[in-house]
Amino acid sequence: MSSPADQPIAALRTGHDELTALVGGLRPEDLTGPTAASEWDVSQVLSHLGSGAEISLAALDAALAGTGRLDADFNKGVWAKWDGMTPGERAEAFPRANRALVERYESLDTDVRDTLRIDLGFLPQPVDVATAAGIRLNEFGYHSWDVRVAHDPDATIAPEARPSMLDLIGNLFGWIARPAELGGRQAHLAVHVTDPDRSFGLRLGDSAAVTDLPDEPDGVLRAPADAWLRLAVGRLRPGYTTAGVSVEGPVTLDDLRRVFPGF
């Protein structure tokens, strides 16, 4: 039998294999080179992903052991350890930390994948394995692209990661969207993405939200799913824009870039 957690866990595996293969071929000077995460070099992105893997694994293990939420100082200790590493040490430690998390997810049988609840520490209540793995995949998908695009200008968000990332992206808007950049203008757009094909609404006003597809939209955004996902987190800047993106109606692509400045 299958579980909703199967797809994000499988995508974490393929993402891990792809990024670690790239990291294994980098020269020492590459580790301090730029990425699409404007404030981080390659080693800093690896530090973020590696420390996140350690924290995610600890939360998963705590759920399996029934010990509940991690101590508040645990995360700080992990971050301090990774912050203190050299770029080369981060490149060596990241594959081990991320592989351990992926392998632990893979080891869970269908019953555990469906019934276990994990306290991630930053959400109001524990979540199931599918949600926890999806949140990790969302983080990994974007930051893996940050590194990969620095070495391959045609890099995209991994196809196997897109379905879960599309499901979760609207949950980030409360933290990352800046609809006030529209200067009081409001719009309810129809959004049509491809690979995978999805249609939904994007409401921009006092807040930003993904909605059901509006019957009478104010405008239309069409884009590959990869481009929409990157637009929503500030990674569709000029120079990273994919063919096939079009915006019709009261807002422009540049307006949307201001609403979604990224992190």
Side-chain angles (χ1 to χ4, degrees):
M1 296 179 64
S2 63
S3 164
D6 294 351
Q7 193 277 327
I9 290 173
L12 284 171
R13 163 56 66 183
T14 55
H16 169 81
D17 291 346
E18 180 176 14
L19 184 57
T20 55
L22 172 63
V23 171
L26 296 180
R27 301 165 299 177
E29 57 267 31
D30 295 328
L31 298 174
T32 54
T35 70
S38 59
E39 297 182 357
W40 286 347
D41 65 23
V42 170
S43 80
Q44 289 169 316
V45 174
L46 298 179
S47 175
H48 179 75
L49 288 175
S51 60
E54 280 197 32
I55 293 167
S56 297
L57 178 59
L60 175 55
D61 283 345
L64 290 167
T67 55
R69 178 172 294 197
L70 299 173
D71 182 87
D73 291 331
F74 178 82
N75 291 11
K76 295 179 182 179
V78 173
W79 294 328
K81 179 181 70 175
W82 285 82
D83 286 344
M85 292 181 185
T86 66
E89 289 169 339
R90 291 169 179 166
E92 291 179 1
F94 159 72
R96 294 194 300 270
N98 200 63
R99 181 175 62 249
L101 174 63
V102 172
E103 289 179 347
R104 185 77 87 251
Y105 272 130
E106 290 174 330
S107 73
L108 304 178
D109 63 29
T110 298
D111 181 64
V112 173
R113 293 185 184 197
D114 289 342
T115 61
L116 186 70
R117 295 297 180 266
I118 305 168
D119 192 333
L120 297 177
F122 58 86
L123 294 176
Q125 60 188 15
V127 298
D128 61 12
V129 174
T131 301
I135 290 172
R136 173 60 182 178
L137 180 59
N138 199 66
E139 175 182 54
F140 190 91
Y142 285 122
H143 290 306
S144 171
W145 180 84
D146 288 336
V147 173
R148 290 183 292 108
V149 77
H151 302 273
D152 175 9
D154 295 322
T156 63
I157 300 292
E160 61 273 11
R162 294 172 198 166
S164 290
M165 294 175 71
L166 286 168
D167 290 342
L168 288 173
I169 186 60
N171 297 333
L172 299 179
F173 287 176
W175 291 286
I176 64 175
R178 301 290 182 268
E181 291 293 323
L182 293 180
R185 287 179 292 155
Q186 299 190 8
H188 196 184
L189 305 180
V191 182
H192 303 288
V193 302
T194 56
D195 195 19
D197 293 347
R198 298 272 185 97
S199 293
F200 49 90
L202 174 62
R203 187 185 299 278
L204 301 172
D206 295 335
S207 61
V210 171
T211 70
D212 292 336
L213 187 67
D215 292 331
E216 297 182 3
D218 301 315
V220 180
L221 166 63
R222 293 183 175 87
D226 159 71
W228 157 245
L229 288 168
R230 291 192 286 111
L231 171 63
V233 295
R235 284 162 170 76
L236 200 69
R237 300 184 292 272
Y240 293 126
T241 303
T242 302
V245 178
S246 66
V247 184
E248 305 166 9
V251 297
T252 66
L253 179 57
D254 284 338
D255 287 331
L256 294 174
R257 285 176 171 141
R258 290 192 296 273
V259 171
F260 299 110
F263 51 83

